Amino acid sequence: MPEGDTQVLTREFGTFRKDRELMCQFLQQHQIDLVVVESTGVYWKSIYASIIGFGLTPRVVNARHVKNVPGRKTDTLDSQWLAQLAHCGLVRPSFVPHPDQEQLRLLTRRRDTVVKQIATEMNRLHKTLDDSGIRLGGLISDINGKSGQRMINALIDGESLQDIRSLVYKGYAIKDRANEESS
């Protein structure tokens, strides 16, 4: 094809693995060297992974940054608009982390969520005990510590308040004895 001429090929592919493989084969067959993918939700991730797997160069772009002029909007018109922007060098790629870094980010976010859930449940336990008139916070500094858990288990087991109070004083006595021995 003469320099400067462009050829428009339009073909629609599904998002199942076999469809993505057909898409990549189609791109390779037509010697496409740059593939532009809009980042809409998480739908782009499997397409991106397939493109990378076939050794093609993908560029993920934010849909807001490449908005077409208002009017009738179709996937075909959007794909042609993205191709035109890419051809002119006007697409700004989004940051897509390396798969190892992405896994680390996912694990870190999941850990953060779990830590927040644990804190929420601990606060809920404290509030439930307070609402029931059981103010363990007045006896011990941390109701979620070992002593606090022993006391809560004793409450659940139906032990008397005297027995539960003795758990606190036993804890102090053991702690005081340990401090005296270390001096």
Side-chain angles (χ1 to χ4, degrees):
M1 191 177 291
E3 187 69 31
D5 286 348
T6 57
Q7 179 183 11
V8 176
L9 294 172
T10 303
R11 177 133 180 238
E12 200 172 301
F13 297 93
T15 55
F16 289 112
R17 185 175 44 90
K18 64 179 179 151
D19 299 321
R20 294 190 315 261
E21 287 174 4
L22 286 172
M23 176 195 65
C24 291
Q25 290 167 0
F26 174 82
L27 295 169
Q28 284 179 331
Q29 176 186 356
H30 289 86
Q31 299 175 343
I32 305 298
D33 56 351
L34 175 64
V35 182
V36 180
V37 180
E38 272 187 335
S39 61
T40 47
V42 295
Y43 300 109
W44 64 271
K45 290 185 176 187
S46 60
I47 296 167
Y48 179 86
S50 295
I51 293 167
I52 289 281
F54 270 77
L56 300 166
T57 305
R59 204 171 271 173
V60 178
V61 296
N62 187 323
R64 289 187 200 141
H65 297 161
V66 292
K67 276 204 168 171
N68 199 349
V69 284
R72 284 185 359 151
K73 215 171 139 38
T74 66
D75 289 339
T76 303
L77 289 175
D78 278 353
S79 68
Q80 291 172 356
W81 176 247
L82 287 174
Q84 186 177 357
L85 290 175
H87 182 71
C88 296
L90 297 174
V91 289
R92 185 177 64 192
S94 298
F95 171 71
V96 179
H98 185 274
D100 292 340
Q101 186 180 9
E102 177 66 13
Q103 285 299 314
L104 182 60
R105 289 171 71 171
L106 289 172
L107 286 171
T108 303
R109 288 177 182 151
R110 179 67 185 134
R111 182 186 181 282
D112 187 50
T113 301
V114 169
V115 166
K116 287 176 183 172
Q117 287 173 335
I118 290 170
T120 299
E121 291 304 318
M122 287 178 170
N123 290 336
R124 185 173 288 146
L125 172 65
H126 200 277
K127 185 178 182 332
T128 301
L129 290 170
D130 282 350
D131 289 347
S132 301
I134 303 168
R135 305 209 184 275
L136 293 181
L139 296 172
I140 57 176
S141 60
D142 181 15
I143 68 164
N144 299 306
K146 284 185 179 180
S147 295
Q149 290 304 305
R150 271 192 240 125
M151 294 173 82
I152 291 168
N153 287 336
L155 280 169
I156 292 169
D157 292 340
E159 293 186 27
S160 71
L161 291 177
Q162 292 300 335
D163 292 339
I164 293 171
R165 278 193 190 141
S166 71
L167 292 173
V168 175
Y169 299 121
K170 283 181 188 174
Y172 283 133
I174 292 168
K175 187 176 178 183
D176 290 340
R177 224 179 295 134
N179 287 339
E180 288 173 9
E181 289 173 3
S182 65
S183 299

